[in-house]
Structures are given as C-alpha cells and as structure tokens.
Amino acid sequence: MSRTVYVDGAFVPEDEAKVSVFDRGFLFADAVYEVTAVFGGKLLDFDGHMARLERSLGELDMEMPVDREKMLELHRELVKRNNVQDGCVYLQVTRGAADRDFVFPKGVSQTLVMFTQNKTLTGEKKGIKVISVPDIRWGRRDIKTVQLLAASLNKMEAKKQGKDDTWLVEDGFVTEGSSNNVYIVTKEGKIVTRQLSRSILPGITRAAVLKLAAEQGLEIEERPFTIDEARNAAEAFATSATTFVTPVVEIDGAELSGGVAGPIAKRLNEIYIEEGRKSAI
Ligand code: PDD
C-alpha cells in the first residue's frame, strides 16, 4: 500500500510526489526538519516540535510556511490518511527552488514536505551498545537542519563494529548521540546531561524527560561529561522523539548496569509513555 504524503499544499500518493532538482534543500541542505512521534494515533510533544521548528527557521532567516494551527491540521490529516497508530510524522521545510547560487534567492516560495512512518514505540528496551567517535559536525547543531551525513556515517561505523549507535566527542567531552541526547546516572543517582548550547540539539524529548525526572525528585546536573566518566557511571541512556528513553548498556566496550537496562532509564521511559498517553493531542 502506497503512503499518502504532503507536498506543497497537496496530499498525493508517494510515487507521484515531486520536488524540483533546483530545490535548495537538495542542493545546499538549506532546510530544516522535525520528527514528531505519533502515539496511539495522536501527536506527542507537538507544541515543542513546532516551537523548535519556528526557531530553527528563524535562525536561518526563514519563516513558518504555514501557521501552527494549520501545521496541526496537516499533521492530523496525514496521520488519518495513512492510518498511523504508532510512528512519526517527518516534516521538512526548505528555502525553495531557485537557480543554483550561494546567495539566498528572493521571492521564491518554500517547499513543505511531510510523510509518515510506522514504528513500534513501546516495545521492551534491552538497551543499546555505543561507541564514541569524534564529533565532526558543523557549529550550529542547535538548528535542526537536514545536514545528516555525519549522523549517517556514524551509524554506519557503529553498525560495522556490531554496535547500535555512536556518542560524539568534542574537545574531550560528549556532545550528544548521533540522533539523540545522552545522559549518565552517577553512582549517587544524579542524572548528568550536557547543558544546551550551539553544540547540541535542544531535544524536545530531553525537555519533557528532564521535567518528569525533576518531578520524581531526581537530581539533575547539566554539564559536560567525558567518555571515561560515562564508562564508569551507574547507568546511561539516550532520548529522542522516536526512541523515547533508551537505556545504554555498553560504552566503548565497558558494560553498564550489569548489561541490562538501568532502573532509572527504565522508570523514566515508563513515566514518559504514561504521560505521553495523557498529553498527546
Ligand atoms: N533526531 N540530537 C540530535 C542530533 C537529533 O537528531 C535528535 C533527534 C535529538 C533528539 O531530539 P528530539 O527529542 O526532539 O527528537 C538530539 C530525530 C528523531 C531524527 O533525526 O530522526
């Protein structure tokens, strides 16, 4: 069965959807994106994703192609047309199509593309194994651009080594995972995660999970940490819209929490799911 996708104002079968070869998303990665989880047919953390989209666009001197209310309507319509229960909506906004020139074109209309993916979000999480690699990305990782080649190369390196993901290291400290924010839990039970800056993406799941953790009375410290500290932590985990709270059970060959999902990561995932069921719209 072919999906219905959204391209520039129309819902069309995926094999009929077209974007110009001159689109700046294609030529320059001059585009930003969002991935919003669909949970029980509803959208999770939708407002957070749209707020970040607006910020990403603003940082690149672009505007929202349609207002938030229309975005919600489009997301819901796409979810409905594709009958998605659990999965995600991928959304991409590019500066539009124009003859190739490094200078931003004037008077072109943006390209807005959206599609859905089905994905199990609540399966049992055994925990993932990660390796550290140098963070080779550009300096504005706080903007959710579609420049994902580094992330793709990193995932391939992990796969080649029989692992699940990579943790990125810059100037001796962990920035984030290839497509997620990362955390360690100290032996004293404190959650440590890098503070927000231009070095990492401000994860929407990160914000939600840190809020829930604080409500649980867990202590949170936002600061950089090294791979060495992580390898010696009590447990570790990662968060993203499509993987929720994922326990990390091995970092560069060092086993954490006895090789099984740590209790804090497990609990936070349960709470995030529980709250998500209530708050999804
Ligand atoms: N990735 N850091 C990076 C580099 C990411 O690509 C992502 C998300 C996150 C987590 O952000 P959020 O909690 O808002 O999903 C952190 C998405 C899921 C992706 O590219 O598929």
Side-chain angles (χ1 to χ4, degrees), residues 134-142 147-151 154 168 170 175-180 198-201:
D135 194 339
I136 60 168
R137 300 172 301 162
W138 78 325
R140 290 303 307 274
R141 301 157 195 157
D142 56 315
Q147 305 176 68
L148 295 176
L149 189 54
N154 289 338
L168 316 178
E170 184 174 58
T175 51
E176 54 189 334
S178 55
S179 62
N180 41 62
R198 291 184 169 187
S199 302
I200 67 168
L201 186 78

Side-chain angles (χ1 to χ4, degrees), residues 139-208:
R140 290 303 307 274
R141 301 157 195 157
D142 56 315
I143 308 172
K144 200 166 170 61
T145 74
V146 300
Q147 305 176 68
L148 295 176
L149 189 54
S152 185
L153 290 171
N154 289 338
K155 296 258 188 198
M156 290 311 295
E157 183 57 31
K159 194 173 170 185
K160 208 165 86 190
Q161 296 192 28
K163 309 297 177 189
D164 305 297
D165 203 2
T166 55
W167 278 22
L168 316 178
V169 177
E170 184 174 58
D171 299 332
F173 293 96
V174 176
T175 51
E176 54 189 334
S178 55
S179 62
N180 41 62
N181 293 114
V182 300
Y183 314 73
I184 56 173
V185 181
T186 66
K187 302 237 156 54
E188 297 76 40
K190 195 187 290 179
I191 295 173
V192 180
T193 192
R194 195 177 175 115
Q195 72 278 15
L196 296 184
S197 70
R198 291 184 169 187
S199 302
I200 67 168
L201 186 78
I204 302 306
T205 322
R206 177 188 185 279

